[in-house]
Amino acid sequence: MATILLVEDEMHLAQIILRDLAEAGYTTFHAADGEAALELHAAQSPDLVLLDWMLPKRDGLDVLRQIRQSAATPVLMLTARSEEIDRVVGLEVGADDYLTKPFSMRELLARIHAMLRRVELIEQTLQADRSPQAALLTHANLTLDPDAHRATIDDVSLDLSPTEFALLYLLLRNPGRAFSRAYLLDAVWREAYVSGDRSVDNAVLRLRKKLGDLGEALETVWGVGYRWRAD
């Protein structure tokens, strides 16, 4: 079962949550302040974090910001703050979901199950997208041969790095599918996305130049990332 880090300074509530998580089969860790939460997250790499907003030493938003600098761990915020602006701020900083106190344990467990299921489905998709492919791909006068690791336009070879080739192959074999920068970085570079990372954007710029007129088929999806034009 998944491992869950609970960050909650209200000990009575923490004991109830830890008990019910254990009964549901989860392995749990508990931190009562923000600094301990970051130390446990770094040491244990949990599958999910339940993060209270109001904490000693470092508040929940600060903890969330620190986590997002190095990891994509799903985070469910637990807080008594019910104003819409608070929920928006938490989500914009990087929370995956938001649960306002008081809440029922049934709802909390349902949210946890749903979040972990989404992560599992994303990981399955990532594994499929990372898996070696042998199919020859073509688009107009562009051909990608994964066995030979060769890309050609009108039978003229393109000078692509392994990363550029993998990125182009993923996009070309999924025409019309929009990929986020974070997903592409995970699938192709196998690295977690950190805000401000320009690796994907720089690779796309290089690809467009090398593809010449076909570079227009590599479209920017504003606010999302990139896709290969379906037509």
Side-chain angles (χ1 to χ4, degrees):
M1 290 293 288
T3 57
I4 296 176
L5 170 60
L6 171 64
V7 188
E8 172 60 66
D9 64 325
E10 187 180 335
M11 295 308 298
H12 179 66
L13 176 59
Q15 290 170 357
I16 294 173
I17 295 174
L18 291 170
R19 180 200 65 201
D20 285 19
L21 290 177
E23 289 178 355
Y26 296 110
T27 299
T28 59
F29 304 97
H30 175 233
D33 62 69
E35 290 184 2
L38 291 173
E39 292 174 0
L40 269 175
H41 183 272
Q44 303 297 336
S45 299
D47 297 303
L48 185 143
V49 177
L50 302 178
L51 179 61
D52 187 29
W53 186 307
M54 304 300 293
L55 293 168
K57 298 185 180 179
R58 290 191 181 208
D59 66 28
L61 282 183
D62 190 28
V63 172
L64 180 57
R65 289 189 185 98
Q66 292 295 315
I67 289 175
R68 284 292 173 262
Q69 288 183 7
S70 59
T73 312
V75 175
L76 172 58
M77 297 290 291
L78 305 176
T79 178
R81 303 169 72 113
S82 59
E83 294 296 327
E84 180 182 14
I85 186 61
D86 294 326
R87 296 196 299 272
V88 170
V89 169
L91 294 171
E92 286 182 345
V93 170
D96 297 275
D97 203 353
Y98 195 105
L99 193 56
T100 303
K101 298 176 181 178
F103 51 81
S104 71
M105 283 305 303
R106 178 179 295 181
E107 181 178 6
L108 176 60
L109 290 171
R111 296 280 190 101
I112 290 171
H113 178 77
M115 289 176 68
L116 291 173
R117 180 58 179 157
R118 287 198 298 270
V119 171
E120 181 183 358
L121 292 173
I122 290 171
E123 185 59 31
Q124 289 173 359
T125 304
L126 273 171
Q127 292 301 325
D129 286 335
R130 289 170 175 167
S131 62
Q133 301 291 322
L136 197 73
L137 296 181
T138 61
H139 177 93
N141 55 345
L142 170 66
T143 300
L144 266 66
D145 184 348
D147 286 336
H149 208 275
R150 184 168 181 255
T152 61
I153 292 180
D154 293 328
D155 293 326
V156 177
S157 294
L158 300 177
D159 183 19
L160 300 183
S161 69
T163 298
E164 291 166 351
F165 186 93
L167 177 60
L168 181 58
Y169 193 89
L170 176 58
L171 292 167
L172 191 58
R173 88 170 192 251
N174 294 280
R177 175 180 166 189
F179 291 90
S180 69
R181 291 171 177 82
Y183 187 90
L184 290 172
L185 197 66
D186 201 341
V188 177
W189 280 260
R190 303 201 177 197
E191 297 177 1
Y193 178 76
V194 177
S195 180
D197 193 320
R198 300 285 297 174
S199 299
V200 175
D201 302 296
N202 292 334
V204 167
L205 285 174
R206 294 194 302 271
L207 272 177
R208 283 175 173 157
K209 290 180 181 179
K210 294 179 180 182
L211 290 169
D213 292 340
L214 273 180
E216 295 180 358
L218 210 172
E219 297 179 326
T220 299
V221 183
W222 297 110
V224 180
Y226 299 99
R227 70 179 168 218
W228 189 266
R229 192 169 59 209
D231 60 355

